Amino acid sequence: MWLLEMLHEHRVLTSHHITALWNTSHRVTNRRLRQLHQLHVLDSFRPLTPQGSAPEHYTLGPSGATLLAAHWATETKHLAWRKDTCTRTAFSPTLEHDLATTTHLVTLAATHHHQPHDELTLWISARSTTRLWGDHARPDAYAHWHHHDQVLPFFLEHDTGTEPLHRVEAKLAGYATLATTTNTTTALLIHTSTPTRERHLRQRLAPIAAHENLPIATAHTSDDWLPLQPPTTQRHPLNQLTSYWPHLTPALTPQALQAAAHPTANRPPWRPIPPLPPLPPR
């Protein structure tokens, strides 16, 4: 059920993603996934690649959607799932971008398996961030990163370099409005495709970040963040950002969570899905 809820939340996960989250061998993962696929709990596709082969990509299958709807006491049509969901996902123009975002968060979540003091306790998809804050901002993800007793709430923007810089710049007004409206201060992490793109983006965003006092950091590698506000020339791993910004407050307030959890006529109740599966019984 955890896997079905994750696939409903994030739409698609590769076998490599699921292996990392389950913390099992890839052979064991593939065997389990094949069994679920044979039962039509999962659907799957494998994108064509110029070289080599891509891992299997899994989506919610027809039996899985039925099970999830029953679990949530709703109907399948209210899950935003269709018979062609797998095909539509496979040919989505944003698939590469979405998978890159997912890979970044999966890597963080899997860290907990070998570093128990580090944990991604919350991970919300782009679709759910729109449900929560779409009037102001639509990040690619929202998450809470815990390091010992410190927490870093952050929005994530995965920048592939295809958007003009002025469009990225325009997004900051929404984040500033969201912070003012909710009386919260949440970090914005922008991951860029190249160091050149990161440099140009920082030059463009610096005046607005300073004016709005937005805690923003950029990176072009996996865990090498350079804060934009307050300005600095020193990069920090994610764990150190919790100390660099000691006064952050999560944008996901109890009020926002309660409002989003309320079911409507055409959608089931919503709650965040734990990024890691529940521990097996002892």
Side-chain angles (χ1 to χ4, degrees):
M1 293 308 301
W2 168 85
L3 180 58
L4 298 186
E5 290 182 320
M6 282 288 285
L7 287 173
H8 177 262
E9 175 73 14
H10 302 291
R11 293 188 181 275
V12 57
L13 295 170
T14 70
S15 59
H16 291 165
H17 292 152
I18 299 169
T19 296
L21 295 173
W22 273 350
N23 195 30
T24 58
S25 71
H26 202 54
R27 182 177 180 180
V28 169
T29 299
N30 283 334
R31 184 174 68 246
R32 292 176 178 177
L33 294 175
R34 280 196 300 268
Q35 292 172 341
L36 293 173
H37 185 270
Q38 290 168 357
L39 294 169
H40 305 291
V41 173
L42 305 180
D43 209 341
S44 73
F45 64 92
R46 181 172 290 184
L48 294 176
T49 57
Q51 295 180 342
S53 61
E56 202 71 26
H57 290 51
Y58 288 91
T59 65
L60 199 60
S63 296
T66 301
L67 282 170
L68 195 56
H71 180 66
W72 285 343
T74 187
E75 299 179 41
T76 305
K77 64 182 181 181
H78 294 158
L79 298 183
W81 179 89
R82 295 167 42 168
K83 292 182 180 180
D84 64 348
T85 290
C86 186
T87 303
R88 291 164 62 91
T89 302
F91 290 97
S92 169
T94 65
L95 178 62
E96 184 176 354
H97 169 272
D98 297 343
L99 287 174
T101 302
T102 296
T103 298
H104 190 81
L105 274 300
V106 165
T107 301
L108 288 180
T111 300
H112 183 65
H113 295 311
H114 53 87
Q115 296 180 20
H117 295 299
D118 296 332
E119 185 175 7
L120 189 74
T121 57
L122 183 73
W123 169 21
I124 297 176
S125 69
R127 180 171 56 170
S128 293
T129 63
T130 299
R131 181 173 182 169
L132 289 160
W133 305 293
D135 291 342
H136 305 299
R138 300 190 177 192
D140 295 319
Y142 172 82
H144 289 176
W145 174 252
H146 283 253
H147 176 60
H148 291 280
D149 59 345
Q150 297 177 307
V151 59
L152 175 73
F154 66 90
F155 297 110
L156 179 66
E157 292 274 1
H158 184 77
D159 180 81
T160 60
T162 57
E163 279 189 318
L165 292 175
H166 68 84
R167 290 189 62 180
V168 182
E169 178 185 353
K171 295 179 181 180
L172 298 194
Y175 286 108
T177 302
L178 176 61
T180 302
T181 302
T182 60
N183 194 28
T184 59
T185 306
T186 299
L188 172 59
L189 306 184
I190 305 177
H191 193 275
T192 66
S193 53
T194 64
T196 301
R197 174 72 173 185
E198 181 187 14
R199 183 172 65 254
H200 292 164
L201 196 61
R202 291 179 63 84
Q203 293 171 351
R204 190 73 179 243
L205 302 186
I208 301 177
H211 182 266
E212 300 290 351
N213 197 27
L214 292 173
I216 299 175
T218 62
H220 61 270
T221 57
S222 58
D223 192 27
D224 192 17
W225 298 96
L226 182 59
L228 189 63
Q229 180 61 31
T232 181
T233 58
Q234 181 179 357
R235 292 187 179 271
H236 300 270
L238 200 64
N239 289 342
Q240 292 182 7
L241 289 181
T242 58
S243 300
Y244 191 79
W245 293 316
H247 304 301
L248 298 179
T249 51
L252 187 63
T253 61
Q255 295 80 7
L257 187 57
Q258 183 178 6
H262 185 70
T264 64
N266 58 358
R267 66 185 183 189
W270 178 86
R271 65 177 179 85
I273 309 303
L276 293 179
L279 294 174
R282 294 182 178 180

